[in-house]
Amino acid sequence: MIISLTKQRNATRLIALYCLSSVTAFSPQRSLLLLSSASSTAKQCLKMTTMATASPSLTLEQHSPSYKQLLDKLLTVTHINRASSVLNYDRQVFMPSSERTAAARGKQLAVLASIAHEKATDPEIGELIERATRDLQDLAASCEASGVTVEQHLATAKRVLEIERKAFLKATCIPVELAGRKAALEASAYSAWVKARTNNDFASFAPALKDCFDTAKEIAALQRRDRDVGLYSQMLDEFEMGMQEARIDQLFQEVQAALVPFIAKIRSSPNQPSLQPLKGSFPVDAQKEVCRKIVKAIGFDETHGRIDVSVHPFTMSLSNADVRITSRFSENEWYQGLAGSIHEAGHAMYEQNLLDSDLTLDTALSMGVHESQSLFWERHVGLSRPFYRWAQPILMEAFGKDHEYSYSAEEIYQAVNGVDFANNFIRVEADELNYPLHVILRYNIEREVVAGELDVNDIPARWNKDMKEFFDVDVPDDTRGCLQDIHWSCLAIGYFPTYLLGSMMAAQLAHYCKKDLPEFDSMIEKGEFTTIRKWLTEKVHRHGKRYSSLDDLLMAEVGEQLNSKYFIEYLTEKYSDLYKVE
C-alpha cells in the first residue's frame, strides 16, 4: 500500500507516509489513500499499517522530488560502471593478449570511466543530496510532531544519503583527467603484469607498478583533503570502511602472536598427513566438471552467472542477476582448482543475494565482509570432514575411473588440510595456518612503499627476505614471488589486509552459524547447503551497506564485534587434532 500526501513546507501540514513491505519490494496491489490533515494521516496510517503488513517501512522517494531525481542520476552511474565491468571481464577472460588489444581496451575503459566520473561528480548531485536531506528532516519532524515514530522507517533513505554524500565528496576530489588516466593505467598495468609473470621478469613490470603506486597515492592525497589521515589509512578505507588502522594492527598482532609458536609446533610434529591424494594426473575438463557440480550444489546460481578460467581466480558482478566467477587448474593437482572455485562461489553468492535496488546501498559492505563469505565456504565448509564425506564419491567418479585414484574421505580430508612447509610460496594456494603471514608480508611491503620507505625496484629482495624469515623457504623466482598477485596492477593498494579480516570474520560467523544450526555438520555431509546459505543471507547478504562497518554488522547480527579468538580457536583445535599435538 502506498499512502501519499502533497508535500508542504508548513510542518503542520507536511506529511507523506508510504507504507511498503521493503524499499525494493513494492506492493502495487494496494490502493492509494489521500488524507487531508497531519493528525488524521498519522492515525489512519498507523491503522492501515497494522492491517496491511506486519513490518511496514516509510520511503522518501515519492515525497521528495529531489530524492527521486538523485536516485535516477545514481542509477545511470551504476549502469555505466556495470558496462565497464563487462569490458573488464572480457579483458581478463576472453580478450586477445596482445599489447595493441590491451591498449585499445584501455581507451574504451578510459572513456567509460570518464563519463561515469563526470556524471558522478555533477554538481547537481551534491545539491540534490542536500535538498533531499532537508526533505528527510522535514518529513521526520512532521511525523514526530504528529505522534508518529519514523526513525527506523526512514533509516534506509538516511543511510542512502550518508553513503552518497561520502561518495560524492570522494569523487569530486578526483579530476576527470585523473579518473581516465587511472582506468587506462589499470588496463596497461594488468597486461604488463601478465606478461612479466609469464616471463619471470619483474624489471619489465616495475615502471608500470611504480605508476600504480604513484597514482594510488595521488588519489588518496586528494581524497583525504585536509584531514590528518595517513595516505595508507586513506587507501584502507577504500576497501574496509569504518575499520581503523590501529584496530587492524591489534587484530593482526593477536593472530600472529598465537600462530607463530603454534605453527612451529605443527612443523615439528612427527604426525604429518599424507599429501598423496592431491597428486597425480587430473584432466582439466574433469576438474572443471567437478567444480561446476560442487559450486552449484552449495548455491551458486549458474542461470544468473558464468564459470570461466583466468590467470588469477576472481569474481565479477555485473548485477545480482549476472555474477561471474573464474578459477585456474593444474593437471598435476586438483585441490587448488576446487578451492578457488568454492572461494569465488562464496563471493558470488554474496553478490547474487544482495537486494536489487541497483544503488550503492545494496552492494557489499566491505572487502573484509566479502572475503568472509568466500572463506566461510572454502574453509569452514569445503575443508571440513563432513564435506569430504559428501564430496568423496564425486571426486572418485571424476578421477578414479581407472582405479588408480582411490582414497577414503578421511584420507582426502587430511591431504587437503595438510601443510606443505616446503612449497609455501603462493598465497592463494597457502594453507590456513600460513595464510595470515602471507597477508602480513604484503601488508608490510605496500605500507612501506606508500610511506616512501621502500623503493618499488627493491620489492623482490624484500619479498624474498620476508619469505625466508616467515616460512623458511627460498623463493625460486619472481613469478612465484612478488609477481604472483594481481592486486597492485589494479591499484588495489590497501586490499590485502581484508583477507585476514575476512578469515577472522568467517570463523566468527561459522561459530554462530553452528550455534544457530546444530545440524550444521550433518547438513554438509548430506549435501544440504540451502539452510546454511539462507542463514548467511539473513545475517550478511541482505544488509548490503546498511551498517557502517564490519564491526557494526557483527555487533547487530551476532552480538559482538570482530573477535580474533574464534579464528585462533578454530585453527588450533583443528590442527591439534590433525597433527596430534597438545
Side-chain angles (χ1 to χ4, degrees):
M1 175 173 67
I2 301 176
I3 301 177
S4 174
L5 195 70
T6 303
K7 172 184 171 186
Q8 300 285 341
R9 282 292 177 189
N10 190 318
T12 62
R13 300 183 63 195
L14 173 69
I15 187 164
L17 306 180
Y18 307 94
C19 301
L20 304 174
S21 59
S22 74
V23 293
T24 57
F26 293 85
S27 300
Q29 298 85 358
R30 297 185 179 136
S31 60
L32 174 66
L33 276 174
L34 295 177
L35 304 173
S36 58
S37 72
S39 60
S40 63
T41 297
K43 294 175 183 177
Q44 291 296 324
C45 183
L46 288 173
K47 180 178 179 181
M48 293 303 296
T49 292
T50 302
M51 295 170 59
T53 174
S55 57
S57 63
L58 306 178
T59 175
L60 182 65
E61 187 170 352
Q62 292 186 12
H63 162 73
S64 171
S66 295
Y67 188 65
K68 176 64 167 64
Q69 190 178 356
L70 172 65
L71 297 186
D72 289 342
K73 286 181 173 292
L74 295 174
L75 292 177
T76 297
V77 176
T78 292
H79 295 310
I80 293 172
N81 286 330
R82 287 177 174 176
S84 294
S85 294
V86 176
L87 293 180
N88 260 314
Y89 189 84
D90 177 77
R91 172 174 65 87
Q92 297 188 54
V93 179
F94 302 117
M95 193 183 80
S97 58
S98 74
E99 292 182 4
R100 286 181 57 206
T101 306
R105 180 56 50 87
K107 293 176 183 177
Q108 297 158 10
L109 289 167
V111 168
L112 285 176
S114 295
I115 294 172
H117 183 72
E118 287 174 359
K119 291 187 175 296
T121 56
D122 181 352
E124 188 177 5
I125 285 185
E127 296 168 5
L128 290 171
I129 290 172
E130 296 309 315
R131 291 205 295 267
T133 299
R134 289 195 295 271
D135 289 343
L136 176 67
Q137 293 168 346
D138 288 345
L139 176 58
S142 300
C143 292
E144 185 176 354
S146 303
V148 180
T149 302
V150 297
E151 182 177 354
Q152 63 180 356
H153 301 303
L154 295 178
T156 294
K158 181 180 180 181
R159 182 62 180 151
V160 167
L161 292 170
E162 288 173 352
I163 291 169
E164 299 304 338
R165 178 180 287 104
K166 180 179 180 180
F168 180 74
L169 291 174
K170 289 180 72 173
T172 51
C173 293
I174 310 303
V176 173
E177 177 276 331
L178 178 55
R181 176 155 50 92
K182 175 178 180 287
L185 176 59
E186 287 174 349
S188 62
Y190 173 80
S191 179
W193 169 72
V194 171
K195 184 176 180 180
R197 186 175 185 273
T198 301
N199 297 329
N200 184 33
D201 184 10
F202 178 83
S204 68
F205 178 53
L209 181 58
K210 185 177 186 305
D211 285 346
C212 289
F213 272 97
D214 288 346
T215 303
K217 288 166 65 176
E218 183 179 355
I219 291 170
L222 291 169
Q223 289 178 333
R224 70 177 174 180
R225 301 187 298 280
D226 58 353
R227 292 178 295 125
D228 185 20
V229 177
L231 284 181
Y232 189 69
S233 292
Q234 181 64 47
M235 294 173 180
L236 286 172
D237 189 67
E238 190 71 19
F239 304 106
E240 197 57 52
M241 67 175 187
M243 182 68 73
Q244 299 298 316
E245 185 175 357
R247 173 101 167 100
I248 293 175
D249 287 341
Q250 173 199 348
L251 291 164
F252 281 18
Q253 288 166 9
E254 291 169 357
V255 171
Q256 185 171 349
L259 291 189
V260 169
F262 182 71
I263 290 172
K265 186 185 296 186
I266 294 297
R267 187 195 299 269
S268 62
S269 171
N271 302 299
Q272 300 288 322
S274 171
L275 304 180
Q276 195 58 38
L278 305 179
K279 302 174 182 177
S281 178
F282 308 100
V284 169
D285 287 343
Q287 292 187 60
K288 289 180 181 178
E289 185 56 33
V290 166
C291 291
R292 174 170 276 103
K293 185 178 296 185
I294 288 176
V295 299
K296 288 176 66 176
I298 66 176
F300 175 72
D301 181 4
E302 198 176 8
T303 64
H304 294 95
R306 285 184 59 90
I307 305 172
D308 291 304
V309 177
S310 66
V311 174
H312 191 289
F314 69 94
T315 300
M316 188 167 289
S317 176
L318 312 182
S319 74
N320 66 355
D322 186 359
V323 183
R324 307 180 183 191
I325 65 175
T326 72
S327 192
R328 63 185 180 194
F329 303 95
S330 167
E331 291 188 346
N332 300 320
E333 197 266 10
W334 61 266
Y335 174 68
Q336 294 304 324
L338 177 60
S341 297
I342 295 175
H343 182 97
E344 300 306 330
H347 282 306
M349 287 186 283
Y350 187 5
E351 294 288 339
Q352 289 180 330
N353 287 291
L354 290 163
L355 300 182
D356 57 2
S357 70
D358 293 331
L359 295 171
T360 304
L361 176 73
D362 288 312
T363 58
L365 174 58
S366 70
M367 292 299 99
V369 176
H370 227 313
E371 197 64 17
S372 77
Q373 299 309 287
S374 59
L375 293 175
F376 180 99
W377 289 100
E378 178 193 345
R379 295 180 178 176
H380 299 276
V381 175
L383 281 176
S384 68
R385 274 194 174 93
F387 180 81
Y388 284 100
R389 291 172 187 148
W390 169 73
Q392 188 262 0
I394 298 174
L395 297 171
M396 292 306 102
E397 181 182 2
F399 306 139
K401 294 178 181 178
D402 57 4
H403 304 293
E404 292 183 6
Y405 187 85
S406 180
Y407 294 97
S408 68
E410 180 64 20
E411 288 172 324
I412 297 172
Y413 165 76
Q414 292 192 22
V416 298
N417 285 286
V419 179
D420 187 357
F421 289 105
N423 295 290
N424 192 18
F425 303 116
I426 308 300
R427 176 185 59 84
V428 297
E429 298 176 2
D431 58 88
E432 297 173 293
L433 285 174
N434 287 300
Y435 191 90
L437 297 182
H438 279 277
V439 172
I440 292 170
L441 179 149
R442 290 153 174 78
Y443 175 66
N444 290 336
I445 287 177
E446 66 180 16
R447 187 163 53 171
E448 290 182 18
V449 173
V450 170
E453 299 169 359
L454 180 67
D455 189 271
V456 164
N457 293 301
D458 295 328
I459 287 178
R462 170 61 184 277
W463 184 288
N464 297 344
K465 174 180 175 293
D466 286 357
M467 286 292 291
K468 182 67 174 178
E469 180 180 337
F470 287 176
F471 307 113
D472 195 27
V473 296
D474 296 310
V475 179
D477 50 58
D478 289 338
T479 294
R480 284 173 283 184
C482 59
L483 287 174
Q484 65 184 263
D485 296 303
I486 190 176
H487 303 65
W488 291 337
S489 71
C490 299
L491 282 73
I493 299 160
Y495 191 117
F496 281 120
T498 67
Y499 288 123
L500 186 45
L501 295 174
S503 297
M504 286 184 267
M505 182 174 176
Q508 193 163 343
L509 288 172
H511 169 84
Y512 282 102
C513 186
K514 292 176 182 179
K515 187 175 180 180
D516 289 347
L517 304 176
E519 301 301 311
F520 183 89
D521 287 344
S522 63
M523 289 176 186
I524 294 173
E525 188 169 346
K526 295 174 185 175
E528 298 172 355
F529 303 102
T530 302
T531 302
I532 297 171
R533 189 179 75 255
K534 287 182 177 179
W535 187 92
L536 289 170
T537 296
E538 177 68 20
K539 297 295 184 182
V540 180
H541 304 163
R542 70 185 181 92
H543 299 294
K545 279 186 163 65
R546 284 165 178 79
Y547 295 112
S548 60
S549 70
L550 179 156
D551 273 337
D552 287 348
L553 182 151
L554 285 173
M555 177 61 75
E557 297 301 322
V558 301
E560 64 174 332
Q561 293 184 335
L562 186 63
N563 190 332
S564 65
K565 76 173 185 177
Y566 299 106
F567 182 55
I568 294 167
E569 288 174 357
Y570 161 72
L571 290 176
T572 54
E573 290 175 7
K574 176 179 179 178
Y575 284 87
S576 292
D577 170 70
L578 188 63
Y579 281 80
K580 298 179 176 58
V581 298
E582 295 296 331

